[in-house]
Amino acid sequence: MRTEKEILDIVLDTARADDAVRAVIRTDLLPVRKYLYSYQFCFIVDDIEKYDDDKTFETCFGKRVLLYRGDKNYPEMFPGAKAHLMVFEDGITLVINTMDKDTFLSRFNRENSYENVWIGDTYQKILDKDNILPEIERLEETQTIFADTPTKEIFDNTCNEFWWVMKTFAEYTLRKELPSAMFYLNVAVRDLLNKMLRWHIYLESGKPVDMGVLDSKFEELLEDELFALYKKTYPSADYDQIWSAFNAVATLWNKAGNMVADTCGFPYPEKTEIEMMEFIAKFKEN
């Protein structure tokens, strides 16, 4: 597998040889993770359409085994950019986002409405042929820092939404519509469950907390009891296990929700929870 220096050298050599490329920014530098051999770059170019061709970077970086064009699948997330996400035979992955100067500066200044955790938040200018960019260096990630306290209205509305999606999850499970049930569990339900857990972690800490990309640091941030429950919310495709996951979600929601409510000084909607659990139980009896 090629070293970091070898990758940087070949990327810079490619950029220098291409007259359309005027600057190169390395992105997503942090955090450094084990088993991750991925490199991301922004090429600042003066002819964006040149990079619409899938063959643009076909051979210059080595033997390519996969090309995924993020801008073609999700154009709203890559306004004014061409995104070449590539996997190479030696185990390296390489992302080249080509864009003009104004598009890049908009992203760097966090002006994009579709900015999200998959777009690198750290930047370092490594080439600028014409000195067209200001000093570009941001080496501290900020997108995973969480510091939010719910109001009573937001908390109550979130609880109501949670029990609505739990009811829907239960309906799909009872009908044995597995894809829909698992979608609701792992997207709609889990998004809300993770929100409640983020509130709890932040309030317990008393200071902004780095939750990790896609809440990847839950295992180290949650109390052992809560994380043990969290693991039980991931079932196999067995329906009995899915119902066990349902119960684990409900129990974890109750524990974390009561902690958040107590810390914030407003009541947990216990009556709603009891009545919704009874409502769902009646489904199972019929």
Side-chain angles (χ1 to χ4, degrees):
M1 184 179 295
R2 286 168 288 178
T3 65
E4 179 178 14
K5 183 180 184 304
E6 288 174 317
I7 295 300
L8 288 172
D9 285 346
I10 196 171
V11 166
L12 286 171
D13 286 346
T14 300
R16 291 186 181 108
D18 187 341
D19 287 341
V21 178
R22 307 316 303 166
V24 178
I25 309 295
R26 186 175 176 187
T27 67
D28 201 27
L29 289 87
L30 299 171
V32 177
R33 302 183 182 97
K34 290 182 68 175
Y35 312 118
L36 177 64
Y37 305 99
S38 179
Y39 303 88
Q40 298 193 29
F41 301 89
C42 287
F43 279 16
I44 313 304
V45 302
D46 58 15
D47 180 9
I48 188 67
E49 292 308 315
K50 173 181 176 180
Y51 302 92
D52 194 46
D53 188 344
D54 288 353
K55 294 184 178 180
T56 302
F57 301 117
E58 187 172 27
T59 59
C60 55
F61 298 123
K63 185 175 181 181
R64 193 170 72 186
V65 298
L66 174 70
L67 168 67
Y68 162 51
R69 288 294 302 276
D71 60 298
K72 290 188 175 181
N73 280 27
Y74 302 99
E76 72 278 6
M77 290 177 61
F78 297 90
K82 307 297 180 183
H84 294 249
L85 291 76
M86 300 170 283
V87 177
F88 295 89
E89 188 178 44
D90 66 347
I92 294 293
T93 63
L94 187 61
V95 177
I96 305 290
N97 288 305
T98 58
M99 60 193 73
D100 62 28
K101 180 183 72 172
D102 291 341
T103 299
F104 169 75
L105 289 175
S106 175
R107 174 177 294 187
F108 178 72
N109 292 323
R110 298 189 177 104
E111 297 170 3
N112 294 351
S113 59
Y114 285 90
E115 200 75 16
N116 58 65
V117 296
W118 293 284
I119 295 176
D121 196 45
T122 53
Y123 298 86
Q124 188 173 54
K125 181 167 67 173
I126 57 177
L127 177 68
D128 192 347
K129 295 178 180 177
D130 312 306
N131 293 316
I132 60 172
L133 293 174
E135 190 60 33
I136 299 292
E137 183 164 278
R138 181 187 298 149
L139 301 181
E140 181 178 351
E141 285 193 320
T142 58
Q143 75 257 27
T144 64
I145 300 297
F146 186 85
D148 182 37
T149 301
T151 64
K152 183 179 186 302
E153 181 181 13
I154 290 173
F155 182 81
D156 288 344
N157 287 342
T158 301
C159 288
N160 290 339
E161 182 182 2
F162 172 79
W163 286 110
W164 178 265
V165 298
M166 283 285 274
K167 174 196 73 72
T168 309
F169 165 41
E171 289 170 346
Y172 283 126
T173 305
L174 285 166
R175 291 198 294 262
K176 295 191 174 181
E177 297 175 357
L178 182 67
S180 300
M182 296 301 277
F183 174 86
Y184 259 80
L185 171 60
N186 287 315
V187 179
V189 171
R190 196 168 304 283
D191 279 354
L192 292 166
L193 179 62
N194 285 9
K195 177 190 286 189
M196 184 66 76
L197 293 172
R198 287 193 296 270
W199 280 336
H200 165 64
I201 290 168
Y202 166 63
L203 291 169
E204 284 294 300
S205 172
K207 61 183 180 181
V209 180
D210 182 1
M211 302 289 173
V213 174
L214 300 177
D215 301 315
S216 60
K217 295 186 178 181
F218 269 8
E219 186 163 5
E220 66 183 73
L221 294 171
L222 283 170
E223 298 93 324
D224 291 345
E225 176 193 6
L226 295 188
F227 192 74
L229 267 174
Y230 191 77
K231 288 193 290 186
K232 291 180 180 179
T233 68
Y234 288 93
S236 72
D238 176 82
Y239 283 101
D240 287 338
Q241 287 198 29
I242 292 173
W243 280 117
S244 293
F246 175 94
N247 291 330
V249 169
T251 301
L252 181 54
W253 181 268
N254 177 277
K255 288 181 178 293
N258 271 285
M259 292 174 178
V260 170
D262 287 347
T263 303
C264 292
F266 42 70
Y268 177 78
E270 199 80 39
K271 183 173 181 289
T272 298
E273 176 175 311
I274 292 170
E275 291 178 346
M276 285 305 300
M277 287 293 283
E278 290 175 349
F279 182 87
I280 292 167
K282 289 177 184 176
F283 280 171
K284 296 181 70 175
E285 293 171 2
N286 296 328

